[in-house]
Amino acid sequence: MTLAALTPDLVAHRPDTRTEWWRHAVIYQVYPRSFADASGDGIGDLPGVTARLDHLVELGVDAVWLSPFYRSPQADAGYDVADYRDVDPLFGTLADADALVARAHELGLRVIVDLVPNHTSDEHAWFQAALAAGPGSPERARYHFRDGKGEHGELPPNNWESIFGGPAWTRTTDPDGTPGQWYLHLFDSKQPDLDWDNPEVHAEFADVLRFWLDRGVDGFRVDVAHGMVKAPGLPDWDGHVAMIDGSDGSHAVDDVDGSGNHGPMFDQEGVHEIYRAWRRILDTYDGDRAMVTEAWVEPLSRLARYVRPDEAHQSFNFAFLAAGWHAPSLRRVITASYEANDAVGAPTTWVLSNHDVVRHASRMGLDDPTHRPNGIGHGDEQPDAGLGLQRARAASLLMLGLPGSAYVYQGEELGLPDHTALDDDLREDPAFFRTGGAERGRDGCRVPLPWEGDAPGLGFSPTGATWLPQPAEWADLAVDRQRGREGSTYELYRAALRLRRDENLGAGGLQWLDSPAREHVLAFRNGGVVVLANLDDVDVALPLDAEVLLASGPLADGVLPAATTAWLRLP
Ligand code: BGC
């Protein structure tokens, strides 16, 4: 097969002359407990992040998103916040957070922090007050407390399931020891959902936003952004709750044209009023503060409603992540993403990995690379590591060639796979426990980073301690082993990010190029660069006059091998 005849096809997106940083930024996700540990306790912390910010500058990203570091009992690794205005002692102090933001800004990096508004921790002062105050109190009205059904209130108020497994309701015990009301939690029982019909909740979060904006953060990543408002009356629903179909291991449905129906707990009209209010707050600050929503919503046209001009600035594009490794599906998702976002004037974002999904170097090594299990463990199908890495590098180079804004999850620049053979007794993800182990959960993508191949704990911590063990083969993936090594994944990302900046690819346009190999190869032009991604297992011949700028794997004899992406200059 040959790419000799590349012919111009559909223009899916036109260049963007607007200059706000978030329109074209590459944003690096730091998962603080696993990035770098300064204190030596084996859990990453904010001083550890600050000390390693140079790595991100060397890599060439524009911004950092920090997963939660707030005061928390860590029932869901910090997504259970007990105090939104303080740093958990595990991660440091408020002064450490200030120092991190200051150092990042000195280095020219923006900082986005996580905002978790759907639920608090059950150890939050509000929830403790609600338990103490009893039924009918204003304290309980900040959450969804209900009497149970059945003769003695022994049945949950409705049939909703928790996304982590089991019922979405837990019954409380009154001070005299008798069973009391139930409360709603879409996630773990230690994460009670707030009632966003209550104006006090709105006021509290507006204040939390200002607290962090005043400290100088450049914006927020909004957790479960489609879940805060529930349908009136909390009606029963017989569907299956997952963040998106497929995250529980089944196949993704059609994210492009899908039904958008995720039940009465998701994507309700009222959430948009919240983003409008927050946008007004952000707009009162200088410096283009931005907000990205984690909204697992389909179809893409429905997701784009979160990024209308007076709402959030960006939304994660999980349809791209879910499209797997299949040329026609990716072409369709990419085209539809631009169509939906361009219609509302928002940038399209791209993401392949994060702290909630099996890393793409492992997913793409599975027999079926569109399969997205919630974790991989002993006894499960083990990915083909070599093929997974080769495809992951190709997928990353494809992603970084796309106009818009891209998210890089810590460690993907090293080609890290998941830890796919973690002992179950080391797991911490509540999803593992709440499903009785049926889902392995997300610990495998949260293993501490390898910095130095020869150091104890691979340089993650000064004592060598790591809260989860690192696979032995990660020594060779450590930053110091890859730095300066020709062809390493780290150097591939650096080169791609440098070229992306030099060629202004983030602000560019996308025109598809057609060829006889269109079922196997994605081909498009972004400004002066032609991106070719061969997703199949056959080699294809490159155009004769191509100058190769960068490739995700070795190219020989004018051939683009299977599972390889190349960036070319064509005359
Ligand atoms: C976060 C998860 C978290 C959940 C509940 C998500 O979407 O990314 O890590 O478990 O929200 O807060």
Side-chain angles (χ1 to χ4, degrees), residues 417-468:
D418 256 40
H419 193 323
T420 57
L422 204 54
D423 284 337
D424 282 348
D425 55 10
L426 296 175
R427 294 190 184 277
E428 296 198 5
D429 184 354
F432 174 75
F433 300 101
R434 291 186 62 92
T435 60
E439 291 186 12
R440 303 289 179 158
R442 301 160 294 175
D443 296 299
C445 66
R446 300 173 173 182
V447 172
L449 288 194
W451 292 94
E452 292 148 33
D454 294 323
L458 302 179
F460 172 70
S461 146
T463 57
T466 61
W467 72 278
L468 285 174

Side-chain angles (χ1 to χ4, degrees), residues 29 31 65 67-68 76-80 114 116 118-119 163-164 186-188 191 221-226 243 294 296 318 354-356 429-430 442 446:
Q29 180 187 358
Y31 192 66
W65 148 37
S67 278
D76 184 21
Y79 282 95
D80 49 318
D114 224 300
V116 189
N118 179 66
H119 43 264
I163 289 157
F164 290 162
L186 289 184
F187 294 89
D188 191 64
Q191 294 166 294
R221 174 266 189 191
V222 183
D223 191 58
V224 202
H226 57 317
M243 289 301 265
E294 187 219 17
W296 292 83
F318 295 121
N354 65 32
H355 65 294
D356 289 331
D429 184 354
R442 301 160 294 175
R446 300 173 173 182

